[in-house]
Short mmCIF file of all heavy atoms in Angstrom, two decimals:
data_model
loop_
_atom_site.label_atom_id
_atom_site.label_comp_id
_atom_site.label_asym_id
_atom_site.label_seq_id
_atom_site.Cartn_x
_atom_site.Cartn_y
_atom_site.Cartn_z
N MET V 1 26.27 12.94 3.36
CA MET V 1 26.16 11.72 4.14
C MET V 1 24.70 11.39 4.46
O MET V 1 24.36 10.25 4.70
CB MET V 1 26.98 11.86 5.42
CG MET V 1 27.22 10.56 6.11
SD MET V 1 28.07 9.46 5.01
CE MET V 1 28.60 8.23 6.11
N ALA V 2 23.84 12.40 4.46
CA ALA V 2 22.44 12.16 4.78
C ALA V 2 21.78 11.26 3.73
O ALA V 2 20.93 10.43 4.06
CB ALA V 2 21.69 13.48 4.87
N LEU V 3 22.20 11.39 2.47
CA LEU V 3 21.65 10.56 1.41
C LEU V 3 22.04 9.10 1.62
O LEU V 3 21.23 8.19 1.42
CB LEU V 3 22.11 11.05 0.04
CG LEU V 3 21.49 10.37 -1.17
CD1 LEU V 3 19.98 10.53 -1.16
CD2 LEU V 3 22.08 10.91 -2.44
N GLY V 4 23.26 8.87 2.04
CA GLY V 4 23.71 7.51 2.32
C GLY V 4 22.96 6.89 3.48
O GLY V 4 22.60 5.70 3.44
N ASP V 5 22.71 7.68 4.52
CA ASP V 5 21.95 7.18 5.67
C ASP V 5 20.50 6.87 5.28
O ASP V 5 19.93 5.88 5.72
CB ASP V 5 21.96 8.20 6.81
CG ASP V 5 23.34 8.35 7.43
OD1 ASP V 5 24.16 7.42 7.29
OD2 ASP V 5 23.59 9.41 8.03
N CYS V 6 19.93 7.72 4.45
CA CYS V 6 18.56 7.50 3.97
C CYS V 6 18.50 6.22 3.15
O CYS V 6 17.57 5.43 3.29
CB CYS V 6 18.10 8.70 3.16
SG CYS V 6 16.41 8.57 2.56
N TRP V 7 19.50 6.01 2.30
CA TRP V 7 19.53 4.80 1.48
C TRP V 7 19.66 3.55 2.35
O TRP V 7 19.02 2.54 2.08
CB TRP V 7 20.69 4.88 0.49
CG TRP V 7 20.71 3.71 -0.44
CD1 TRP V 7 21.56 2.65 -0.40
CD2 TRP V 7 19.81 3.46 -1.52
NE1 TRP V 7 21.27 1.77 -1.38
CE2 TRP V 7 20.19 2.23 -2.10
CE3 TRP V 7 18.73 4.14 -2.06
CZ2 TRP V 7 19.52 1.68 -3.18
CZ3 TRP V 7 18.07 3.59 -3.14
CH2 TRP V 7 18.47 2.38 -3.68
N LYS V 8 20.50 3.62 3.39
CA LYS V 8 20.65 2.49 4.30
C LYS V 8 19.34 2.20 5.02
O LYS V 8 18.97 1.03 5.20
CB LYS V 8 21.76 2.77 5.31
CG LYS V 8 23.16 2.63 4.74
CD LYS V 8 24.22 3.00 5.75
CE LYS V 8 24.26 1.97 6.85
NZ LYS V 8 25.37 2.22 7.78
N GLN V 9 18.62 3.22 5.42
CA GLN V 9 17.34 3.04 6.12
C GLN V 9 16.31 2.42 5.19
O GLN V 9 15.59 1.50 5.59
CB GLN V 9 16.84 4.39 6.64
CG GLN V 9 15.63 4.30 7.52
CD GLN V 9 15.94 3.73 8.89
OE1 GLN V 9 17.08 3.70 9.34
NE2 GLN V 9 14.91 3.26 9.56
N LEU V 10 16.23 2.90 3.95
CA LEU V 10 15.30 2.33 2.99
C LEU V 10 15.66 0.87 2.67
O LEU V 10 14.77 0.03 2.53
CB LEU V 10 15.27 3.15 1.70
CG LEU V 10 14.54 4.48 1.78
CD1 LEU V 10 14.71 5.25 0.48
CD2 LEU V 10 13.08 4.28 2.09
N SER V 11 16.94 0.58 2.56
CA SER V 11 17.36 -0.79 2.32
C SER V 11 16.98 -1.69 3.48
O SER V 11 16.55 -2.83 3.28
CB SER V 11 18.88 -0.85 2.11
OG SER V 11 19.25 -0.14 0.98
N TRP V 12 17.11 -1.18 4.69
CA TRP V 12 16.74 -1.96 5.87
C TRP V 12 15.23 -2.22 5.88
O TRP V 12 14.81 -3.33 6.18
CB TRP V 12 17.17 -1.23 7.14
CG TRP V 12 16.90 -2.03 8.37
CD1 TRP V 12 17.65 -3.05 8.87
CD2 TRP V 12 15.79 -1.87 9.26
NE1 TRP V 12 17.06 -3.53 10.01
CE2 TRP V 12 15.93 -2.83 10.27
CE3 TRP V 12 14.69 -1.02 9.29
CZ2 TRP V 12 15.01 -2.96 11.30
CZ3 TRP V 12 13.79 -1.16 10.31
CH2 TRP V 12 13.95 -2.12 11.30
N PHE V 13 14.42 -1.21 5.56
CA PHE V 13 12.96 -1.40 5.50
C PHE V 13 12.58 -2.42 4.42
O PHE V 13 11.71 -3.25 4.62
CB PHE V 13 12.23 -0.08 5.24
CG PHE V 13 12.11 0.79 6.46
CD1 PHE V 13 12.38 2.14 6.37
CD2 PHE V 13 11.72 0.27 7.68
CE1 PHE V 13 12.26 2.95 7.48
CE2 PHE V 13 11.60 1.07 8.79
CZ PHE V 13 11.87 2.41 8.70
N TYR V 14 13.24 -2.34 3.27
CA TYR V 14 12.95 -3.30 2.20
C TYR V 14 13.33 -4.71 2.63
O TYR V 14 12.60 -5.67 2.37
CB TYR V 14 13.70 -2.91 0.92
CG TYR V 14 13.43 -3.84 -0.23
CD1 TYR V 14 12.18 -3.87 -0.83
CD2 TYR V 14 14.42 -4.69 -0.71
CE1 TYR V 14 11.92 -4.73 -1.88
CE2 TYR V 14 14.16 -5.55 -1.76
CZ TYR V 14 12.92 -5.57 -2.34
OH TYR V 14 12.66 -6.42 -3.38
N TYR V 15 14.46 -4.85 3.30
CA TYR V 15 14.88 -6.15 3.80
C TYR V 15 13.87 -6.69 4.81
O TYR V 15 13.53 -7.88 4.78
CB TYR V 15 16.28 -6.05 4.41
CG TYR V 15 16.82 -7.36 4.91
CD1 TYR V 15 17.10 -8.40 4.02
CD2 TYR V 15 17.04 -7.57 6.27
CE1 TYR V 15 17.59 -9.60 4.48
CE2 TYR V 15 17.52 -8.77 6.73
CZ TYR V 15 17.81 -9.79 5.82
OH TYR V 15 18.28 -10.97 6.28
N GLN V 16 13.38 -5.86 5.70
CA GLN V 16 12.37 -6.28 6.66
C GLN V 16 11.09 -6.70 5.94
O GLN V 16 10.44 -7.68 6.32
CB GLN V 16 12.07 -5.15 7.65
CG GLN V 16 13.19 -4.87 8.61
CD GLN V 16 13.49 -6.05 9.49
OE1 GLN V 16 12.60 -6.66 10.04
NE2 GLN V 16 14.77 -6.39 9.58
N TYR V 17 10.71 -5.96 4.90
CA TYR V 17 9.53 -6.31 4.10
C TYR V 17 9.71 -7.69 3.47
O TYR V 17 8.79 -8.52 3.47
CB TYR V 17 9.32 -5.23 3.04
CG TYR V 17 8.42 -5.62 1.89
CD1 TYR V 17 7.05 -5.76 2.08
CD2 TYR V 17 8.94 -5.83 0.62
CE1 TYR V 17 6.22 -6.10 1.03
CE2 TYR V 17 8.12 -6.17 -0.44
CZ TYR V 17 6.76 -6.30 -0.22
OH TYR V 17 5.95 -6.65 -1.26
N LEU V 18 10.89 -7.96 2.94
CA LEU V 18 11.16 -9.27 2.36
C LEU V 18 11.08 -10.38 3.40
O LEU V 18 10.55 -11.46 3.13
CB LEU V 18 12.54 -9.29 1.70
CG LEU V 18 12.71 -8.47 0.44
CD1 LEU V 18 14.15 -8.57 -0.05
CD2 LEU V 18 11.75 -8.90 -0.64
N LEU V 19 11.58 -10.13 4.58
CA LEU V 19 11.56 -11.15 5.63
C LEU V 19 10.16 -11.40 6.16
O LEU V 19 9.75 -12.55 6.34
CB LEU V 19 12.48 -10.74 6.78
CG LEU V 19 13.98 -10.82 6.49
CD1 LEU V 19 14.75 -10.29 7.68
CD2 LEU V 19 14.40 -12.22 6.16
N VAL V 20 9.40 -10.34 6.39
CA VAL V 20 8.06 -10.48 6.97
C VAL V 20 7.12 -11.18 6.00
O VAL V 20 6.30 -12.01 6.40
CB VAL V 20 7.51 -9.11 7.39
CG1 VAL V 20 6.05 -9.18 7.72
CG2 VAL V 20 8.30 -8.58 8.58
N THR V 21 7.21 -10.85 4.72
CA THR V 21 6.32 -11.45 3.73
C THR V 21 6.88 -12.74 3.14
O THR V 21 6.23 -13.35 2.30
CB THR V 21 6.05 -10.46 2.59
OG1 THR V 21 7.30 -10.07 2.02
CG2 THR V 21 5.30 -9.24 3.08
N ALA V 22 8.07 -13.15 3.55
CA ALA V 22 8.74 -14.36 3.06
C ALA V 22 9.04 -14.29 1.56
O ALA V 22 9.11 -15.31 0.88
CB ALA V 22 7.94 -15.60 3.39
N LEU V 23 9.20 -13.09 1.04
CA LEU V 23 9.52 -12.93 -0.37
C LEU V 23 10.98 -13.25 -0.67
O LEU V 23 11.35 -13.43 -1.83
CB LEU V 23 9.22 -11.50 -0.84
CG LEU V 23 7.75 -11.14 -0.93
CD1 LEU V 23 7.60 -9.68 -1.29
CD2 LEU V 23 7.05 -12.00 -1.94
N TYR V 24 11.81 -13.33 0.33
CA TYR V 24 13.23 -13.61 0.12
C TYR V 24 13.42 -15.02 -0.45
O TYR V 24 14.45 -15.31 -1.04
CB TYR V 24 14.02 -13.45 1.42
CG TYR V 24 13.64 -14.44 2.49
CD1 TYR V 24 14.32 -15.65 2.60
CD2 TYR V 24 12.62 -14.18 3.38
CE1 TYR V 24 13.97 -16.57 3.58
CE2 TYR V 24 12.25 -15.08 4.35
CZ TYR V 24 12.94 -16.28 4.44
OH TYR V 24 12.58 -17.18 5.41
N MET V 25 12.41 -15.90 -0.34
CA MET V 25 12.52 -17.26 -0.86
C MET V 25 12.19 -17.34 -2.34
O MET V 25 12.46 -18.35 -2.97
CB MET V 25 11.58 -18.19 -0.09
CG MET V 25 11.94 -18.34 1.36
SD MET V 25 10.93 -19.54 2.21
CE MET V 25 9.34 -18.74 2.19
N LEU V 26 11.58 -16.30 -2.88
CA LEU V 26 11.17 -16.32 -4.28
C LEU V 26 12.32 -15.91 -5.19
O LEU V 26 13.25 -15.22 -4.77
CB LEU V 26 9.99 -15.38 -4.50
CG LEU V 26 8.73 -15.67 -3.71
CD1 LEU V 26 7.69 -14.61 -3.99
CD2 LEU V 26 8.19 -17.05 -4.01
N GLU V 27 12.20 -16.30 -6.44
CA GLU V 27 13.16 -15.85 -7.44
C GLU V 27 12.85 -14.39 -7.78
O GLU V 27 11.74 -13.91 -7.54
CB GLU V 27 13.05 -16.72 -8.69
CG GLU V 27 13.50 -18.15 -8.45
CD GLU V 27 13.48 -18.97 -9.72
OE1 GLU V 27 13.44 -18.38 -10.82
OE2 GLU V 27 13.50 -20.20 -9.60
N PRO V 28 13.82 -13.68 -8.34
CA PRO V 28 13.60 -12.25 -8.63
C PRO V 28 12.38 -11.98 -9.51
O PRO V 28 11.65 -11.01 -9.28
CB PRO V 28 14.89 -11.82 -9.33
CG PRO V 28 15.91 -12.76 -8.82
CD PRO V 28 15.21 -14.07 -8.61
N TRP V 29 12.12 -12.80 -10.53
CA TRP V 29 10.97 -12.54 -11.40
C TRP V 29 9.66 -12.79 -10.65
O TRP V 29 8.69 -12.08 -10.87
CB TRP V 29 11.04 -13.37 -12.68
CG TRP V 29 10.80 -14.83 -12.50
CD1 TRP V 29 11.74 -15.79 -12.24
CD2 TRP V 29 9.54 -15.50 -12.54
NE1 TRP V 29 11.14 -17.01 -12.13
CE2 TRP V 29 9.79 -16.88 -12.31
CE3 TRP V 29 8.23 -15.09 -12.75
CZ2 TRP V 29 8.78 -17.82 -12.29
CZ3 TRP V 29 7.22 -16.03 -12.73
CH2 TRP V 29 7.49 -17.39 -12.50
N GLU V 30 9.64 -13.76 -9.75
CA GLU V 30 8.43 -14.01 -8.95
C GLU V 30 8.18 -12.86 -7.98
O GLU V 30 7.05 -12.45 -7.76
CB GLU V 30 8.57 -15.32 -8.18
CG GLU V 30 8.63 -16.54 -9.05
CD GLU V 30 8.99 -17.80 -8.29
OE1 GLU V 30 9.79 -17.73 -7.34
OE2 GLU V 30 8.46 -18.86 -8.65
N ARG V 31 9.25 -12.36 -7.40
CA ARG V 31 9.16 -11.23 -6.49
C ARG V 31 8.63 -9.99 -7.22
O ARG V 31 7.80 -9.25 -6.68
CB ARG V 31 10.53 -10.95 -5.88
CG ARG V 31 10.51 -10.09 -4.66
CD ARG V 31 11.89 -9.91 -4.06
NE ARG V 31 12.54 -11.19 -3.85
CZ ARG V 31 13.85 -11.38 -3.92
NH1 ARG V 31 14.65 -10.37 -4.20
NH2 ARG V 31 14.37 -12.57 -3.71
N THR V 32 9.08 -9.80 -8.46
CA THR V 32 8.62 -8.66 -9.25
C THR V 32 7.13 -8.79 -9.56
O THR V 32 6.38 -7.80 -9.46
CB THR V 32 9.42 -8.58 -10.57
OG1 THR V 32 10.80 -8.45 -10.25
CG2 THR V 32 8.97 -7.39 -11.39
N VAL V 33 6.68 -9.99 -9.91
CA VAL V 33 5.26 -10.20 -10.20
C VAL V 33 4.43 -9.94 -8.95
O VAL V 33 3.40 -9.26 -9.00
CB VAL V 33 5.02 -11.63 -10.74
CG1 VAL V 33 3.54 -11.95 -10.78
CG2 VAL V 33 5.63 -11.78 -12.12
N PHE V 34 4.87 -10.47 -7.80
CA PHE V 34 4.13 -10.27 -6.56
C PHE V 34 4.06 -8.79 -6.19
O PHE V 34 2.99 -8.29 -5.84
CB PHE V 34 4.79 -11.06 -5.42
CG PHE V 34 4.11 -10.88 -4.10
CD1 PHE V 34 2.99 -11.62 -3.79
CD2 PHE V 34 4.57 -9.95 -3.18
CE1 PHE V 34 2.33 -11.45 -2.58
CE2 PHE V 34 3.94 -9.77 -1.98
CZ PHE V 34 2.81 -10.52 -1.67
N ASN V 35 5.19 -8.10 -6.26
CA ASN V 35 5.21 -6.68 -5.91
C ASN V 35 4.35 -5.86 -6.88
O ASN V 35 3.68 -4.91 -6.46
CB ASN V 35 6.64 -6.15 -5.89
CG ASN V 35 7.41 -6.64 -4.69
OD1 ASN V 35 6.84 -6.93 -3.64
ND2 ASN V 35 8.70 -6.74 -4.84
N SER V 36 4.35 -6.22 -8.15
CA SER V 36 3.52 -5.51 -9.13
C SER V 36 2.04 -5.70 -8.81
O SER V 36 1.26 -4.73 -8.87
CB SER V 36 3.79 -6.03 -10.54
OG SER V 36 5.13 -5.80 -10.89
N LEU V 37 1.64 -6.92 -8.49
CA LEU V 37 0.25 -7.16 -8.13
C LEU V 37 -0.13 -6.42 -6.85
O LEU V 37 -1.22 -5.86 -6.75
CB LEU V 37 0.00 -8.66 -7.97
CG LEU V 37 0.02 -9.47 -9.26
CD1 LEU V 37 -0.09 -10.95 -8.95
CD2 LEU V 37 -1.10 -9.03 -10.17
N LEU V 38 0.77 -6.43 -5.88
CA LEU V 38 0.50 -5.74 -4.62
C LEU V 38 0.32 -4.24 -4.83
O LEU V 38 -0.62 -3.63 -4.31
CB LEU V 38 1.63 -6.00 -3.62
CG LEU V 38 1.49 -5.37 -2.25
CD1 LEU V 38 0.31 -5.99 -1.51
CD2 LEU V 38 2.76 -5.55 -1.46
N ILE V 39 1.19 -3.65 -5.63
CA ILE V 39 1.10 -2.21 -5.90
C ILE V 39 -0.17 -1.91 -6.70
O ILE V 39 -0.85 -0.90 -6.45
CB ILE V 39 2.36 -1.72 -6.63
CG1 ILE V 39 3.54 -1.74 -5.66
CG2 ILE V 39 2.16 -0.34 -7.22
CD1 ILE V 39 4.87 -1.48 -6.30
N SER V 40 -0.53 -2.79 -7.64
CA SER V 40 -1.76 -2.58 -8.42
C SER V 40 -3.00 -2.63 -7.54
O SER V 40 -3.88 -1.76 -7.65
CB SER V 40 -1.88 -3.64 -9.51
OG SER V 40 -0.82 -3.53 -10.41
N VAL V 41 -3.08 -3.62 -6.67
CA VAL V 41 -4.25 -3.73 -5.79
C VAL V 41 -4.31 -2.55 -4.82
O VAL V 41 -5.38 -1.98 -4.59
CB VAL V 41 -4.22 -5.08 -5.04
CG1 VAL V 41 -5.25 -5.12 -3.94
CG2 VAL V 41 -4.43 -6.22 -6.01
N ALA V 42 -3.17 -2.17 -4.25
CA ALA V 42 -3.16 -1.02 -3.34
C ALA V 42 -3.55 0.26 -4.07
O ALA V 42 -4.31 1.08 -3.55
CB ALA V 42 -1.78 -0.87 -2.71
N GLY V 43 -3.06 0.44 -5.30
CA GLY V 43 -3.42 1.61 -6.08
C GLY V 43 -4.90 1.67 -6.41
O GLY V 43 -5.53 2.72 -6.32
N MET V 44 -5.47 0.52 -6.76
CA MET V 44 -6.91 0.48 -7.05
C MET V 44 -7.74 0.76 -5.80
O MET V 44 -8.77 1.44 -5.87
CB MET V 44 -7.29 -0.87 -7.65
CG MET V 44 -6.83 -1.03 -9.08
SD MET V 44 -7.43 -2.54 -9.86
CE MET V 44 -6.36 -3.75 -9.12
N ALA V 45 -7.29 0.25 -4.65
CA ALA V 45 -8.02 0.50 -3.41
C ALA V 45 -7.97 1.98 -3.04
O ALA V 45 -8.98 2.56 -2.63
CB ALA V 45 -7.44 -0.35 -2.29
N ILE V 46 -6.82 2.60 -3.19
CA ILE V 46 -6.69 4.03 -2.87
C ILE V 46 -7.54 4.86 -3.83
O ILE V 46 -8.24 5.79 -3.41
CB ILE V 46 -5.21 4.46 -2.92
CG1 ILE V 46 -4.47 3.84 -1.74
CG2 ILE V 46 -5.07 5.96 -2.93
CD1 ILE V 46 -2.97 3.98 -1.81
N TYR V 47 -7.50 4.52 -5.12
CA TYR V 47 -8.31 5.25 -6.11
C TYR V 47 -9.81 5.10 -5.81
O TYR V 47 -10.56 6.08 -5.85
CB TYR V 47 -8.00 4.76 -7.51
CG TYR V 47 -8.90 5.35 -8.56
CD1 TYR V 47 -8.71 6.67 -8.99
CD2 TYR V 47 -9.95 4.63 -9.11
CE1 TYR V 47 -9.54 7.23 -9.94
CE2 TYR V 47 -10.78 5.19 -10.05
CZ TYR V 47 -10.57 6.49 -10.46
OH TYR V 47 -11.40 7.04 -11.40
N THR V 48 -10.23 3.89 -5.52
CA THR V 48 -11.64 3.65 -5.23
C THR V 48 -12.07 4.42 -3.98
O THR V 48 -13.16 5.00 -3.95
CB THR V 48 -11.89 2.15 -5.04
OG1 THR V 48 -11.49 1.47 -6.24
CG2 THR V 48 -13.35 1.86 -4.77
N GLY V 49 -11.24 4.42 -2.96
CA GLY V 49 -11.55 5.18 -1.76
C GLY V 49 -11.63 6.67 -2.04
O GLY V 49 -12.51 7.36 -1.53
N TYR V 50 -10.73 7.17 -2.88
CA TYR V 50 -10.72 8.59 -3.21
C TYR V 50 -11.96 8.99 -4.01
O TYR V 50 -12.51 10.07 -3.82
CB TYR V 50 -9.44 8.91 -4.01
CG TYR V 50 -9.36 10.33 -4.48
CD1 TYR V 50 -9.05 11.35 -3.60
CD2 TYR V 50 -9.59 10.65 -5.81
CE1 TYR V 50 -8.97 12.66 -4.03
CE2 TYR V 50 -9.52 11.95 -6.25
CZ TYR V 50 -9.21 12.95 -5.35
OH TYR V 50 -9.13 14.25 -5.79
N VAL V 51 -12.40 8.11 -4.89
CA VAL V 51 -13.53 8.44 -5.76
C VAL V 51 -14.87 8.25 -5.05
O VAL V 51 -15.76 9.09 -5.14
CB VAL V 51 -13.49 7.59 -7.05
CG1 VAL V 51 -14.76 7.73 -7.85
CG2 VAL V 51 -12.30 8.00 -7.89
N PHE V 52 -15.04 7.15 -4.31
CA PHE V 52 -16.35 6.80 -3.79
C PHE V 52 -16.59 7.17 -2.33
O PHE V 52 -17.74 7.26 -1.90
CB PHE V 52 -16.62 5.30 -3.98
CG PHE V 52 -16.74 4.93 -5.43
CD1 PHE V 52 -15.78 4.13 -6.01
CD2 PHE V 52 -17.80 5.38 -6.19
CE1 PHE V 52 -15.88 3.79 -7.34
CE2 PHE V 52 -17.91 5.04 -7.52
CZ PHE V 52 -16.94 4.24 -8.10
N MET V 53 -15.55 7.35 -1.54
CA MET V 53 -15.75 7.65 -0.12
C MET V 53 -16.50 8.96 0.12
O MET V 53 -17.36 9.01 1.00
CB MET V 53 -14.42 7.64 0.64
CG MET V 53 -13.91 6.25 0.92
SD MET V 53 -15.08 5.21 1.82
CE MET V 53 -14.97 5.92 3.43
N PRO V 54 -16.21 10.04 -0.61
CA PRO V 54 -16.98 11.27 -0.37
C PRO V 54 -18.49 11.08 -0.57
O PRO V 54 -19.29 11.61 0.19
CB PRO V 54 -16.41 12.25 -1.38
CG PRO V 54 -15.05 11.77 -1.64
CD PRO V 54 -15.13 10.28 -1.56
N GLN V 55 -18.87 10.28 -1.57
CA GLN V 55 -20.29 10.03 -1.81
C GLN V 55 -20.91 9.27 -0.64
O GLN V 55 -22.02 9.59 -0.19
CB GLN V 55 -20.48 9.22 -3.09
CG GLN V 55 -20.02 9.94 -4.33
CD GLN V 55 -20.00 9.04 -5.54
OE1 GLN V 55 -20.36 7.88 -5.47
NE2 GLN V 55 -19.54 9.59 -6.66
N HIS V 56 -20.21 8.27 -0.14
CA HIS V 56 -20.73 7.48 0.97
C HIS V 56 -20.79 8.30 2.26
O HIS V 56 -21.74 8.18 3.03
CB HIS V 56 -19.89 6.23 1.18
CG HIS V 56 -20.01 5.23 0.07
ND1 HIS V 56 -21.19 4.61 -0.25
CD2 HIS V 56 -19.10 4.77 -0.80
CE1 HIS V 56 -21.00 3.80 -1.26
NE2 HIS V 56 -19.72 3.88 -1.62
N ILE V 57 -19.78 9.12 2.48
CA ILE V 57 -19.78 9.96 3.68
C ILE V 57 -20.94 10.95 3.63
O ILE V 57 -21.63 11.16 4.64
CB ILE V 57 -18.42 10.67 3.84
CG1 ILE V 57 -17.35 9.64 4.20
CG2 ILE V 57 -18.50 11.77 4.89
CD1 ILE V 57 -15.95 10.19 4.19
N MET V 58 -21.17 11.55 2.46
CA MET V 58 -22.29 12.49 2.34
C MET V 58 -23.63 11.77 2.53
O MET V 58 -24.54 12.30 3.16
CB MET V 58 -22.26 13.20 0.98
CG MET V 58 -21.16 14.23 0.88
SD MET V 58 -21.20 15.49 2.18
CE MET V 58 -22.72 16.32 1.82
N ALA V 59 -23.76 10.54 2.02
CA ALA V 59 -24.99 9.78 2.21
C ALA V 59 -25.22 9.48 3.69
O ALA V 59 -26.35 9.57 4.19
CB ALA V 59 -24.93 8.49 1.41
N ILE V 60 -24.16 9.15 4.41
CA ILE V 60 -24.28 8.87 5.84
C ILE V 60 -24.67 10.14 6.59
O ILE V 60 -25.53 10.12 7.48
CB ILE V 60 -22.97 8.29 6.38
CG1 ILE V 60 -22.76 6.87 5.84
CG2 ILE V 60 -22.95 8.27 7.91
CD1 ILE V 60 -21.37 6.32 6.07
N LEU V 61 -24.05 11.26 6.24
CA LEU V 61 -24.36 12.52 6.91
C LEU V 61 -25.81 12.94 6.62
O LEU V 61 -26.49 13.46 7.51
CB LEU V 61 -23.39 13.61 6.48
CG LEU V 61 -21.94 13.42 6.95
CD1 LEU V 61 -21.06 14.52 6.38
CD2 LEU V 61 -21.85 13.38 8.46
N HIS V 62 -26.30 12.71 5.41
CA HIS V 62 -27.69 13.01 5.10
C HIS V 62 -28.63 12.09 5.88
O HIS V 62 -29.68 12.52 6.34
CB HIS V 62 -27.97 12.89 3.60
CG HIS V 62 -27.49 14.06 2.81
ND1 HIS V 62 -28.02 15.32 2.95
CD2 HIS V 62 -26.52 14.16 1.87
CE1 HIS V 62 -27.40 16.14 2.13
NE2 HIS V 62 -26.47 15.45 1.46
N TYR V 63 -28.25 10.84 6.00
CA TYR V 63 -29.08 9.88 6.72
C TYR V 63 -29.26 10.27 8.18
O TYR V 63 -30.34 10.17 8.73
CB TYR V 63 -28.47 8.48 6.61
CG TYR V 63 -29.26 7.42 7.37
CD1 TYR V 63 -30.44 6.92 6.83
CD2 TYR V 63 -28.83 6.96 8.60
CE1 TYR V 63 -31.16 5.96 7.49
CE2 TYR V 63 -29.55 6.01 9.28
CZ TYR V 63 -30.73 5.50 8.72
OH TYR V 63 -31.44 4.56 9.40
N PHE V 64 -28.17 10.69 8.82
CA PHE V 64 -28.24 11.09 10.22
C PHE V 64 -28.61 12.56 10.39
O PHE V 64 -28.54 13.10 11.49
CB PHE V 64 -26.91 10.80 10.93
CG PHE V 64 -26.67 9.34 11.14
CD1 PHE V 64 -25.65 8.68 10.46
CD2 PHE V 64 -27.45 8.61 12.01
CE1 PHE V 64 -25.42 7.34 10.66
CE2 PHE V 64 -27.24 7.26 12.21
CZ PHE V 64 -26.23 6.62 11.53
N GLU V 65 -28.97 13.21 9.30
CA GLU V 65 -29.42 14.60 9.27
C GLU V 65 -28.41 15.58 9.87
O GLU V 65 -28.76 16.56 10.51
CB GLU V 65 -30.77 14.73 9.98
CG GLU V 65 -31.87 13.93 9.29
CD GLU V 65 -33.18 14.00 10.04
OE1 GLU V 65 -33.23 14.55 11.16
OE2 GLU V 65 -34.18 13.49 9.48
N VAL V 66 -27.14 15.28 9.66
CA VAL V 66 -26.09 16.19 10.07
C VAL V 66 -25.98 17.30 9.03
O VAL V 66 -25.75 18.46 9.37
CB VAL V 66 -24.75 15.44 10.22
CG1 VAL V 66 -23.62 16.41 10.54
CG2 VAL V 66 -24.86 14.37 11.28
N VAL V 67 -26.16 16.94 7.77
CA VAL V 67 -26.12 17.88 6.66
C VAL V 67 -27.47 17.82 5.97
O VAL V 67 -28.02 16.76 5.74
CB VAL V 67 -25.00 17.52 5.66
CG1 VAL V 67 -25.06 18.42 4.44
CG2 VAL V 67 -23.66 17.58 6.33
N GLN V 68 -28.02 18.97 5.65
CA GLN V 68 -29.33 19.01 4.99
C GLN V 68 -29.19 18.94 3.50
O GLN V 68 -28.47 19.47 2.83
CB GLN V 68 -30.11 20.25 5.40
CG GLN V 68 -30.40 20.28 6.85
CD GLN V 68 -31.30 19.12 7.31
OE1 GLN V 68 -32.12 18.61 6.56
NE2 GLN V 68 -31.11 18.69 8.54
#
């Protein structure tokens, strides 16, 4: 029964996502395109943060002489 409850919760979150972003008004193919673009942009932002943030943090720490 836990799997069914989890599925109901995920369905409810997805429904809330559709309502908040007004995606419920779009056709299914438009919704798919929008979600694909959203996932792509979020993935690129996460990757960029993962790759470049350590360099920027180290530069800031060197600037404030926290790390030699």
Side-chain angles (χ1 to χ4, degrees):
M1 195 59 166
L3 186 59
D5 292 338
C6 182
W7 184 255
K8 284 176 69 174
Q9 187 73 18
L10 286 175
S11 297
W12 184 80
F13 282 135
Y14 181 69
Y15 182 66
Q16 290 297 313
Y17 163 71
L18 290 178
L19 288 176
V20 168
T21 57
L23 290 176
Y24 65 92
M25 295 185 292
L26 300 177
E27 293 184 17
W29 71 270
E30 294 171 325
R31 196 177 308 148
T32 302
V33 169
F34 179 82
N35 287 333
S36 299
L37 289 174
L38 181 66
I39 290 172
S40 297
V41 169
M44 286 186 284
I46 290 170
Y47 174 76
T48 302
Y50 176 75
V51 170
F52 294 112
M53 283 304 287
Q55 296 171 2
H56 291 297
I57 290 172
M58 287 305 294
I60 290 168
L61 292 176
H62 282 295
Y63 178 77
F64 289 112
E65 298 176 353
V66 175
V67 175
Q68 297 297 330

